[in-house]
Amino acid sequence: MQLSWERPPRPATALPAAVLIRKLRATDEAAIGRLMWAAFRGTVDDQYHGPADARTDAAQTIAGRWGPVDWDASLAAELDSVVIAAAIVVRDFARDGLPLLAFALTDPGHQRRGIGQRLIEESIARLNSNGVHELHLAVTRGNPAVRLYQRLGFDVVA
């Protein structure tokens, strides 16, 4: 899926009280691994044999497996100092360095509250402020997140 813009809308999704957004940090590796394990378990994207597999995937992502992390556009949402959601944007090797939303993750206990949507909106705003006007992502067929991406204006591309 792909989204292009001239001027993105301002991030409008309200966050639940006490949820804070901050830049993702390389030291968030364990938190991202925990989110991957929790968010993907039992879904169409469940690929891990255990939490250690998810932590390895998180470490590889942060180390640049899908391309260098765009640290300005990659964000974490915290509640009581615990990372409950993240949006990880990388510069995609396969697409000439274009930004790729590699992961958008929300802990299942905090889903459907607009947190993931707000993180993606903020990522788009940060990309825009750096002169970037396009973001793409890959999503597995059957993943309910497709509806979120379509609400945000992403189009299906081949």
Side-chain angles (χ1 to χ4, degrees), residues 31-43:
I32 298 305
R34 182 190 58 76
L35 279 176
M36 288 174 156
W37 174 249
F40 294 147
R41 193 163 183 200
T43 72

Side-chain angles (χ1 to χ4, degrees), residues 7-113:
R7 237 185 265 170
R10 298 192 70 185
T13 304
L15 288 172
V19 173
L20 303 173
I21 293 177
R22 65 165 172 80
K23 285 184 181 181
L24 188 73
R25 299 185 288 253
T27 56
D28 288 326
E29 177 184 305
I32 298 305
R34 182 190 58 76
L35 279 176
M36 288 174 156
W37 174 249
F40 294 147
R41 193 163 183 200
T43 72
V44 67
D45 291 315
D46 189 348
Q47 62 181 348
Y48 306 121
H49 297 293
D53 286 349
R55 172 103 186 242
T56 298
D57 196 10
Q60 290 174 345
T61 298
I62 288 172
R65 176 182 186 187
W66 309 111
V69 174
D70 184 324
W71 293 104
D72 190 48
S74 296
L75 304 169
E78 288 186 344
L79 178 62
D80 299 326
S81 300
V82 175
V83 175
I84 60 168
I88 305 172
V89 177
V90 302
R91 294 306 180 122
D92 188 0
F93 291 138
R95 304 245 352 236
D96 298 322
L98 288 173
L100 165 72
L101 180 61
F103 291 98
L105 309 156
T106 303
D107 184 279
H110 298 281
Q111 290 176 351
R112 296 182 191 7
R113 296 182 187 168

